């Protein structure tokens, strides 16, 4: 809590979490207790890569396509791995830290990090990505519940559904409350 309070008060040396992918930090000295004092900076190698991700997303490329392109271009991940995952790219592109905010422990601190893009650019990016979301509709399992949500409990009227239990060979079906 002490560190979070210091961060809220504008102490950028609080540095108690790993910064986002495109943010680095430099030690600017020591405080009175001998602790390193940090200053966040845009990481010289990773910030341009994050900007490329943003540009590709703005041009219509999805997270998976961006991950594949980064992998094909032999750009290592933060962990030094050769293969980028869709979720890593997605999380970077949806991070409010792109506009400099720290978000954690139920707290948002604007201006905590140096911004990579403006607030307007961030919301434009989010809008473009939201419009491209693919919602898969319909049945995905092997079996259809013909009762849908029409099955209700005779005790309290709560909705029920059919559940399956078994090993695949001798599955058993039963009605269960949807809670």
């Amino acid at each position: 809590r002490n560190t979070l309070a210091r961060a809220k008060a504008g102490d950028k040396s609080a540095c108690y979490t790993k910064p986002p992918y495109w943010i680095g930090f430099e030690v600017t000295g020591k405080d009175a207790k001998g602790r390193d004092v940090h200053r966040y900076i845009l990481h010289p190698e990773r910030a341009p890569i994050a900007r490329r991700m943003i540009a590709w997303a703005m041009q219509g490329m999805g997270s998976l396509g961006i991950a594949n392109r980064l992998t094909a271009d032999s750009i290592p991940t933060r962990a030094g791995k050769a293969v980028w995952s869709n979720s890593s790219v997605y999380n970077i592109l949806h991070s409010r830290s792109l506009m400099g905010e720290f978000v954690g422990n139920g707290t948002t601190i604007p201006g905590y990090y140096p911004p990579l893009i403006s607030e307007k650019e961030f919301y434009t990016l989010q809008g473009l990505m939201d419009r491209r979301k693919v919602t898969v509709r319909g049945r995905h399992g092997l079996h259809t519940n013909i009762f849908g949500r029409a099955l209700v409990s005779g005790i309290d009227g709560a909705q029920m559904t059919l559940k399956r239990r078994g090993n695949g060979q001798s599955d058993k079906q039963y009605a269960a409350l949807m809670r």
Side-chain angles (χ1 to χ4, degrees):
R1 288 185 186 199
N2 187 24
T3 306
L4 184 59
R6 285 181 24 225
K8 282 183 181 178
D11 181 0
K12 304 272 171 79
S13 68
C15 191
Y16 67 101
T17 62
K18 183 168 54 172
Y21 171 77
W22 59 94
I23 299 290
F25 61 89
E26 62 184 10
V27 178
T28 59
K30 301 271 186 192
D31 67 8
K33 294 182 180 180
R35 297 178 298 207
D36 287 343
V37 176
H38 302 96
R39 180 175 75 98
Y40 288 112
I41 59 171
L42 293 176
H43 194 282
E45 289 94 35
R46 294 186 194 145
I49 295 167
R51 281 195 177 103
R52 270 194 273 169
M53 289 183 202
I54 293 165
W56 290 333
M58 293 280 215
Q59 293 167 6
M61 193 179 288
S63 298
L64 182 59
I66 294 170
N68 290 339
R69 183 143 182 203
L70 292 168
T71 300
D73 290 349
S74 301
I75 296 172
T77 66
R78 169 185 277 188
K81 296 182 180 180
V83 178
W84 280 81
S85 71
N86 173 31
S87 61
S88 294
V89 173
Y90 179 91
N91 289 335
I92 287 171
L93 293 175
H94 283 81
S95 174
R96 295 183 64 81
S97 298
L98 288 170
M99 20 176 213
E101 289 184 1
F102 170 84
V103 180
N105 300 330
T107 302
T108 300
I109 305 172
Y112 189 77
Y113 299 115
L116 187 66
I117 60 176
S118 70
E119 186 175 351
K120 181 180 177 186
E121 291 168 318
F122 177 78
Y123 287 113
T124 300
L125 174 65
Q126 301 313 302
L128 288 170
M129 290 189 302
D130 284 347
R131 273 187 256 144
R132 288 194 305 264
K133 280 185 184 174
V134 176
T135 304
V136 180
R137 299 188 191 282
R139 185 174 61 82
H140 302 288
L142 297 173
H143 308 281
T144 302
N145 179 359
I146 61 170
F147 296 107
R149 297 183 188 268
L151 197 58
V152 294
S153 167
I155 297 170
D156 61 2
Q159 288 187 334
M160 299 181 77
T161 187
L162 287 180
K163 299 274 185 173
R164 300 178 62 80
R165 175 170 286 166
N167 60 10
Q169 299 289 331
S170 60
D171 287 353
K172 305 283 189 240
Q173 287 189 349
Y174 61 97
L177 291 174
M178 293 178 62
R179 292 187 184 157

